[in-house]
Amino acid sequence: MFGVVPDRGLHRRPSDVLRVLAGLVVFVIGTVGAVHYSSWERTAHDVVSAVPRPVLRVFGFANGAGLAIGIGVVLVVAVAVRRPRFIGAVLLAIASGGAVAVALQHLIDAPAAVDAASRGLKDYPQYPAVGLVITAAVFFVAAPEITRPFRRLLTWSLVVVAVGTIAEREGYPSGIIGSLALGWALAAALHLVLGSPDGMPDPTEIERDLAAIGEDVTDLTVSRSQTWGARSFTGRRGDDHVRVVSIGRDATDGQLLAKLGRWLWYKDSGPGLALTNQQEIEHHAFLLLLAERRGVAVPRVELAARIGERRDATLLATVADGATFAAEDHVEVTDAVMSSMWSELTKLHAAGIAHGGIWAGQFRSRDASSVEFTDLATADGDPDDDAMLADRVALLVTCAELTTEDRAVAAARTALGDDGIVALLPVLQTSALSRVNRRTAGNAKKRCAALRTAIAASTGTEAPKLTELRRVAPSSIVIAAFTVLGIYLLIGEFSHVEWGSMFRGADWWWLPAVILFAQVPILGLSLSVLGSVSKKLPLRPVLLLEVGTKFTGLAGGGVTTIALQVRFFQKQGLAAAVAVTSSLLNSVASGTVEVVVLTVAILTGAGSFHIPSSGAGGIASKVFIVAAVLAVLTAIAFGIPALRHRIGGLVMPQLRSAWGNLRGVMRDPRKGTLMLGGNLLSQVFYAMVLWAALHMYGHDLGLMQLIIINTVASVLGGIAPVPGGIGVIEAGLIAGFTAAGVPDQAAIATTFTARLFTAYLPPIWGWLSIQWMRHRDLV
């Protein structure tokens, strides 16, 4: 009853991605039901409440002590079998389920959303139900680890707990369903992060199943290179070397996700979909047979069938006995070998097949001068011209990885001719490479650039502009998503404002001061830019540049702003790298000023605030929850060695370079004064804008308090990838004002007035400034 499955290694299932997405969709639907109280919800609740009292006591026990006992049993089983991963997954499910549920209760606030007090619903529950989310997360995270009878017991226990939650008036049907879905999604997310028992057959099972149908295969070992959702092995059948591919149910899920992901990011969505694992293995075998008939050196198909009790689709193929060209096999790559690689790819394309996943491990040595393809698992039998070009680019990069750029280009020229290799230039980029190829090629972006240079030099042509292969960049998706979030936050902050009464009591004599003070930070930022470059620049163009960044920062974020600065500095006779260095220097100088100001504020006692427990304190709590989540994500990122090293490799060289440049600039007292003084001037006058706006509505705070409020809000807005920090900065400012004792309506009015002249209107004259500079050839 309480058994566990054998531990045969971990697997990240493609189906878990689908579970996360499906769980989140159902949770959103449940949220809509939980915050819109309906008659059928009440009817369902009343039906459960009408159950005889002894039965209700059983449900009540299940929702209380029974819940704890169920989680305890799972944890005891995990400890008893001594699987640290299983124990850690259960503990993480408890912690993450509780933390996420409590945070969402704060954000959603279901009783307030349905106006429970005025409708007489004194016991309307919060959503999601914390206990139910934790229980679902623990039970679902344990499911792959335990045997079927144990899973059935947990399933029925979860049903009883869900009904008990309704009986105990801790949830309504839609809220119960949403809570279960959230726990399900959290469990699937933990499986993706930690992995779960893969359920795939081990080599012994494969050998036994093949022997049952007359195929005597021995010495099976798991291959180093695997396809998501499938398991491949190498072994022997008599004197022949064989390759066995076992495709489970997850293979079609992985194929669907890969297809969907490629359709989202790239204009070419890749090969078609197979609806079942049997269709997938048959298509796989068909392409191998077709390629072999057309003279391509590929594994020879011996069997394609569903075998064993599991009915996993299995492919058996005879392969050459040589090693692959993956780095760990240390096979010498001669010019004859590269010629054979190009020859086999040319024949594959002539057969109307694109490989779709070329890298060094996809070629196996047949003898000293010839190769064969390891497999065609990612092949497309109906490719377009772009897929063919992508194959050639991938092979060119692979050859460069195995030898040198010059030898790789020479081999490609011999195989394709000058016209053929020049045709690769527009698509010679990392977007044309498979994920494995990008990972094994080292610095793939740098290698592609070196190959483009080598091709242009050897053929005497100028490298053309790269073709955009991606439909949309991931950074654009992130910026768009956070922009929507920012607009949502902005609407949420200002949606309950009584604008007429708020402006009716304003002291309009302070408005000119707000407008005037809002222009001074531009001067401070311009002075800082002047201090960050070695060449002496005129002030007026730099002022106009900073005004122009108000438009680019809102329209396209930091990337667009950097592009504008690069163009401006190039027109001033400076290198493009100066723009990046200037931006980094200003960021370091700004951070230095912020740290000094905050330290002075804390030492002088100006940094004391009170977080209210209700009212606009909800805004403050949301801001602090966001800050806490960011802190946790940062801790997780730096707690994972691989991710920490990757972030460090990207960020630390830039920080060291910026710090070295800052020390060099600081040796010139004038430059250092301009940078630090300009940033300090900007900080002070942003606070002065808030000070004047506060006086418009009859309130006052100390300058140091306002600097702290503005600094914290700006940091939050800078962390969130929202153009201009729209929505996030507003939430931070309102939270800071209310924490300092400013009433809700006045805090919102002050924030809107200040941001109107520092964020909402400046992009208009920022656009005019850019047009003015363009007419005068300054950008």
Side-chain angles (χ1 to χ4, degrees), residues 453-466:
T453 302
I455 292 173
S458 63
T459 58
T461 59
E462 183 177 352
K465 183 180 178 180
L466 291 174

Side-chain angles (χ1 to χ4, degrees), residues 165-512:
T165 303
I166 299 178
E168 288 292 300
R169 296 181 180 273
E170 293 184 9
Y172 286 84
S174 59
I176 299 300
I177 294 172
S179 300
L180 290 173
L182 179 60
W184 187 46
L186 284 173
L190 287 174
H191 287 154
L192 284 174
V193 173
L194 302 176
S196 60
D198 55 17
M200 296 293 288
D202 62 14
T204 303
E205 286 182 274
I206 293 289
E207 290 177 1
R208 184 177 63 246
D209 292 340
L210 287 172
I213 59 173
E215 296 289 347
D216 186 18
V217 176
T218 59
D219 300 331
L220 276 185
T221 57
V222 178
S223 302
R224 286 192 297 262
S225 176
Q226 299 291 333
T227 303
W228 205 17
R231 177 65 65 87
S232 58
F233 307 85
T234 56
R236 301 186 66 86
R237 190 183 65 163
D239 295 331
D240 295 329
H241 290 261
V242 295
R243 176 179 174 86
V244 178
V245 180
S246 178
I247 300 180
R249 184 177 53 194
D250 285 339
T252 53
D253 295 336
Q255 190 185 44
L256 173 62
L257 290 171
K259 180 80 172 179
L260 179 61
R262 189 166 181 85
W263 178 82
L264 287 174
W265 302 130
Y266 298 98
K267 297 174 181 178
D268 172 29
S269 60
L273 291 173
L275 298 180
T276 66
N277 58 355
Q278 183 172 0
Q279 290 180 1
E280 172 68 15
I281 206 73
E282 289 172 352
H283 181 71
H284 190 167
F286 166 74
L287 291 180
L288 285 171
L289 291 169
L290 177 60
E292 184 182 18
R293 174 170 291 187
R294 297 297 181 87
V296 185
V298 293
R300 186 176 71 252
V301 176
E302 306 289 350
L303 169 73
R306 298 176 69 181
I307 64 174
E309 295 180 359
R310 300 159 51 93
R311 307 303 294 166
D312 286 332
T314 304
L315 174 72
L316 173 65
T318 304
V319 300
D321 60 358
T324 70
F325 289 88
E328 54 267 25
D329 288 330
H330 307 292
V331 179
E332 182 183 3
V333 180
T334 63
D335 290 345
V337 166
M338 286 193 290
S339 176
S340 177
M341 289 178 176
W342 281 106
S343 175
E344 297 304 326
L345 182 62
T346 301
K347 287 187 286 185
L348 186 70
H349 287 174
I353 303 172
H355 189 284
I358 288 179
W359 66 289
Q362 281 294 321
F363 291 97
R364 185 182 299 274
S365 174
R366 304 184 87 178
D367 52 46
S369 60
S370 64
V371 301
E372 77 170 21
F373 286 109
T374 305
D375 205 351
L376 297 181
T378 57
D380 185 359
D382 185 24
D384 57 16
D385 292 340
D386 289 339
M388 304 287 197
L389 287 175
D391 274 355
R392 296 180 187 123
V393 167
L395 180 54
L396 176 62
V397 173
T398 298
C399 291
E401 171 198 347
L402 296 173
T403 58
T404 64
E405 280 84 9
D406 290 338
R407 286 183 61 191
V409 169
R413 286 186 70 187
T414 301
L416 303 176
D418 283 357
D419 291 341
I421 196 170
V422 168
L424 302 182
L425 286 174
V427 293
L428 185 47
Q429 53 188 294
T430 55
S431 300
L433 306 178
S434 67
R435 183 174 59 180
V436 178
N437 205 350
R438 288 195 297 270
R439 187 175 67 247
T440 59
N443 191 333
K445 186 174 182 179
K446 184 177 180 180
R447 192 179 296 278
C448 287
L451 286 169
R452 282 169 56 83
T453 302
I455 292 173
S458 63
T459 58
T461 59
E462 183 177 352
K465 183 180 178 180
L466 291 174
T467 301
E468 185 56 63
L469 300 178
R470 293 186 298 192
R471 190 185 304 273
V472 62
S475 58
S476 300
I477 295 289
V478 172
I479 289 175
F482 277 94
T483 301
V484 172
L485 174 62
I487 295 172
Y488 167 77
L489 291 173
L490 189 63
I491 293 173
E493 303 304 340
F494 296 148
S495 60
H496 302 295
V497 177
E498 299 177 3
W499 296 100
S501 60
M502 182 181 70
F503 290 131
R504 193 178 301 119
D507 186 352
W508 295 100
W509 290 105
W510 282 98
L511 185 60

Side-chain angles (χ1 to χ4, degrees), residues 63-146:
N63 194 46
L67 186 150
I69 291 173
I71 294 176
V73 168
V74 173
L75 193 55
V76 167
V77 170
V79 173
V81 298
R82 299 180 181 179
R83 290 187 185 175
R85 184 200 66 256
F86 189 8
I87 300 170
V90 173
L91 294 177
L92 279 175
I94 296 172
S96 62
V100 170
V102 170
L104 288 171
Q105 282 188 353
H106 270 279
L107 293 173
I108 296 172
D109 197 5
V114 301
D115 198 11
S118 64
R119 301 175 67 171
L121 303 173
K122 296 181 180 180
D123 58 350
Y124 195 84
Q126 287 284 358
Y127 173 80
V130 176
L132 193 55
V133 171
I134 293 175
T135 305
V138 170
F139 287 5
F140 285 125
V141 87
E145 304 273 359
I146 58 181

Side-chain angles (χ1 to χ4, degrees), residues 510 514 688-699 749-751 753-754:
W510 282 98
V514 173
M688 292 294 292
V689 174
L690 301 178
W691 177 78
L694 267 176
H695 277 79
M696 276 188 65
Y697 303 100
H699 295 277
T750 299
T751 298
T753 304

Side-chain angles (χ1 to χ4, degrees), residues 486-487 490 493-494 499 511 514-515 518-519 550 553-554 686 689-694 696-697 709-710 713-718 720 722-734 737 747-763 765:
I487 295 172
L490 189 63
E493 303 304 340
F494 296 148
W499 296 100
L511 185 60
V514 173
I515 298 173
Q519 312 314 312
K550 295 295 183 181
L554 183 64
Y686 273 128
V689 174
L690 301 178
W691 177 78
L694 267 176
M696 276 188 65
Y697 303 100
I709 292 171
N710 180 72
S714 299
V715 169
L716 290 174
V722 181
I726 295 294
V728 181
I729 292 179
E730 283 80 0
L733 290 175
I734 294 172
F737 285 139
I748 295 173
T750 299
T751 298
F752 175 78
T753 304
R755 292 284 286 170
L756 180 66
F757 295 102
T758 58
Y760 306 154
L761 294 179
W765 41 84

Side-chain angles (χ1 to χ4, degrees), residues 532-547:
S532 66
V533 295
S534 57
K535 183 178 179 179
K536 187 174 181 180
L537 300 175
L539 178 60
R540 187 174 70 164
V542 176
L543 273 171
L544 292 170
L545 172 67
E546 287 303 311
V547 173

